[in-house]
C-alpha cells in the first residue's frame, strides 16, 4: 500500500514537471508554442514581436530555428528546418494589403534572391481574404523550400534557399521592415 502511494506521488510529480516544461511565449495577445514540428522536423521558438503601423497592432510574429540565436545573419542563412509564424491581430490586414506589404518587403530585402515569378507564386497562395486570428506559417525545409500554410491548411511551396533568405530578410535583414520586430524575433 505504501509503495503504491509513493509510486502515485512520483508519477504525479513527473506529470507536473513535464507540463511545466512545455512553455509558451506571449506576444501581445498571441501565444506562441515553445517549438513547431512539421514533417517530423522540429524548430524552437527564438523570439517574437508585434508588427505595428502607426497606432495599430497588425500581427504578432514568431521566429523558429533549429537552435536559438541572436545573430540575424545566422538566422537568415540557416539551411535547416526553420519557420516564421504570423498571427493576424487586426481587421486592417486585408489580403491585398498583406500581398502589397510582403511584395514591397522583397524589394527592400537585403538578403538572398527572389524572382518576380517566385514572389508571384508565393502571393498566389493567398487567394482567400484575411481575417483577425488567421495563422500563417512560412516554414523552410531544405529539400522543398518555403512551405506555405494558412490556418493549418497547406497551400503550396516555393523552392530554394535564396528565396528563403530573401523572405526572412524582410524581417531580419540589414534594412528590416521594422527594427523593433527584428530585435524581438532575435530574442532581444
Amino acid at each position: 500500500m505504501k509503495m503504491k502511494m509513493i509510486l502515485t506521488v512520483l508519477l504525479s510529480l513527473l506529470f507536473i514537471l513535464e507540463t511545466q516544461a512545455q512553455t509558451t511565449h506571449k506576444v501581445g495577445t498571441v501565444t506562441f508554442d515553445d517549438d513547431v514540428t512539421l514533417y517530423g522536423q522540429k524548430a524552437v521558438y527564438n523570439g517574437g514581436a508585434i508588427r505595428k503601423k502607426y497606432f495599430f497592432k497588425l500581427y504578432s510574429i514568431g521566429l523558429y530555428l533549429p537552435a536559438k540565436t541572436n545573430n540575424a545573419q545566422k538566422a537568415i542563412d540557416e539551411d535547416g528546418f526553420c519557420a516564421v509564424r504570423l498571427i493576424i491581430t487586426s481587421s486592417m490586414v486585408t489580403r491585398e494589403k498583406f500581398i502589397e506589404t510582403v511584395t514591397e518587403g522583397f524589394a527592400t530585402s537585403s538578403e538572398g534572391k527572389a524572382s518576380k515569378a517566385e514572389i508571384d507564386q508565393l502571393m498566389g497562395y493567398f487567394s482567400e481574404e484575411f481575417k483577425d486570428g488567421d495563422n500563417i506559417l512560412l516554414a523552410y525545409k531544405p529539400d522543398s523550400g518555403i512551405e506555405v500554410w494558412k490556418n493549418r491548411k497547406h497551400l503550396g511551396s516555393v523552392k530554394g534557399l535564396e528565396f528563403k533568405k530573401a523572405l526572412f530578410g524582410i524581417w531580419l535583414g540589414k534594412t528590416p521592415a521594422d527594427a523593433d520586430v527584428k530585435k524581438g524575433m532575435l530574442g532581444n
Side-chain angles (χ1 to χ4, degrees), residues 28-152:
T29 59
V30 175
T31 302
F32 287 94
D33 292 329
D34 200 40
D35 57 57
V36 63
T37 302
L38 191 63
Y39 306 113
Q41 297 180 335
K42 181 176 171 180
V44 297
Y45 179 83
N46 195 76
I50 299 170
R51 175 69 165 113
K52 300 174 189 169
K53 190 99 176 193
Y54 308 114
F55 314 91
F56 305 103
K57 296 176 181 176
L58 304 176
Y59 59 81
S60 290
I61 186 169
L63 175 64
Y64 291 85
L65 298 170
K68 290 186 177 203
T69 184
N70 62 3
N71 182 316
Q73 198 62 53
K74 184 175 180 180
I76 291 167
D77 293 340
E78 178 61 56
D79 193 20
F81 177 68
C82 52
V84 170
R85 173 167 272 148
L86 295 101
I87 309 294
I88 307 299
T89 57
S90 170
S91 59
M92 292 185 60
V93 180
T94 63
R95 176 189 163 279
E96 292 79 17
K97 281 286 185 198
F98 180 82
I99 289 172
E100 178 184 319
T101 302
V102 173
T103 302
E104 287 172 3
F106 276 113
T108 60
S109 178
S110 58
E111 305 299 327
K113 291 183 180 156
S115 69
K116 181 175 179 347
E118 290 169 329
I119 295 167
D120 289 345
Q121 182 181 359
L122 174 68
M123 296 300 105
Y125 294 132
F126 299 108
S127 60
E128 295 178 10
E129 192 51 59
F130 281 28
K131 62 186 180 315
D132 191 350
D134 278 348
N135 182 334
I136 297 165
L137 181 68
L138 303 167
Y140 174 73
K141 277 183 55 195
D143 58 340
S144 63
I146 293 291
E147 297 285 341
V148 183
W149 295 76
K150 183 178 175 200
N151 299 328
R152 300 186 186 270

